[in-house]
Amino acid sequence: MFEGDYIDELVTDIYRGKYSPKKLPKSLYDTYVKDFNKSYDSVPTLTSKIFDESIYKNIRLFSGAKTFQYSYATNDLLYVNGKVVPFDVFRENAKQVFKQYNETYFKTEYEFVNAQAELIQTWNEETEINDYLEYVAVLDSKTSDICKHLDGIIRKKSDPFWATHSPLNHYRCRCTLIGADGETPSTKSAVDKAIRDSNVPKNMQYNAALMGKVFSPDHPYFTVPKLYKGDLKKNFGL
């Protein structure tokens, strides 16, 4: 995704003060936007231009927030006990943070965008011809407790359940939806128990196909220290 020269230059620029949480590296932001858009666009979601623009706006905001969080974490490495650390020390530590945000986290986020696009496609296809939907989990040794408890729930497509507990309910979630017309709907008590037992994180309680967002507004990236709140509009928009 990034060449070594780019990483070295970015780390050096942060050390020298060219970039900071108040002045974000636009090149990094642009790469996030381009690649996340590519991940979303690789799936024929059957959506409208207006819906897709909502998705693209969400990706831009998320990319700005991610750029901020990376910059904030890296900037935090500049000082130890109030003194600027030697560049060699900073560079090694900063490269580890870069790897964390732009390899480990990024891979998961990129796959998440693609999986959300597939679920949006599935939602549109299934709700076009079905009044009822079923939550289907892949049941094996890797299945999360979240998915185990939600597996098999059947509700009408207009049921509020789908606004908060439609897949995806965690990163690397493999669940999907299928049409369930003619099947017996789950009782309210069964749904309430599934919701309670699955304990889906708040930042995963949304339906991308209904909300027009692949990343939740409650994602931790959007939480910033008070010191920088006044810069959010400027920085997240870049």
Side-chain angles (χ1 to χ4, degrees), residues 46-211:
L46 309 176
T47 49
S48 67
K49 183 177 180 180
I50 293 177
F51 180 91
D52 287 341
E53 182 49 45
S54 176
I55 293 288
Y56 298 140
K57 180 180 180 181
N58 175 245
I59 286 174
R60 291 194 297 271
L61 290 173
F62 180 85
S63 297
K66 179 177 174 67
T67 307
F68 171 86
Q69 295 296 349
Y70 160 74
S71 298
Y72 181 77
T74 306
N75 194 77
D76 195 47
L77 301 173
L78 286 168
Y79 302 92
V80 173
N81 296 326
K83 296 182 179 180
V84 178
V85 300
F87 176 68
D88 288 348
V89 174
F90 171 79
R91 179 176 58 194
E92 292 307 308
N93 292 333
K95 283 186 174 182
Q96 291 303 311
V97 171
F98 188 93
K99 181 177 181 180
Q100 182 181 43
Y101 274 87
N102 300 301
E103 292 183 25
T104 305
Y105 292 170
F106 179 82
K107 180 181 179 181
T108 298
E109 292 155 359
Y110 184 91
E111 292 173 350
F112 183 77
V113 172
N114 189 257
Q116 285 283 40
E118 290 181 349
L119 260 297
I120 290 170
Q121 178 192 46
T122 299
W123 176 272
N124 290 333
E125 290 176 341
E126 295 297 340
T127 57
E128 184 177 3
I129 59 176
N130 295 285
D131 288 325
Y132 286 83
L133 300 171
E134 179 178 355
Y135 191 111
V136 179
V138 177
L139 299 177
D140 57 24
S141 61
K142 298 180 181 179
T143 307
S144 71
D145 287 339
I146 290 174
C147 301
K148 286 178 183 177
H149 290 298
L150 295 172
D151 179 57
I153 292 294
I154 298 174
R155 299 298 282 178
K156 198 168 186 177
K157 62 186 179 184
S158 59
D159 192 286
F161 171 80
W162 298 117
T164 56
H165 286 73
S166 174
L168 305 168
N169 294 126
H170 61 85
Y171 283 107
R172 295 195 172 93
C173 181
R174 297 172 294 161
C175 298
T176 190
L177 301 169
I178 61 173
D181 284 4
E183 302 294 328
T184 302
S186 303
T187 62
K188 183 179 183 302
S189 61
V191 172
D192 290 344
K193 184 177 188 305
I195 290 174
R196 182 174 63 254
D197 292 346
S198 61
N199 195 27
V200 177
K202 181 182 178 183
N203 68 340
M204 288 293 181
Q205 292 183 24
Y206 68 104
N207 183 327
L210 296 178
M211 193 165 64

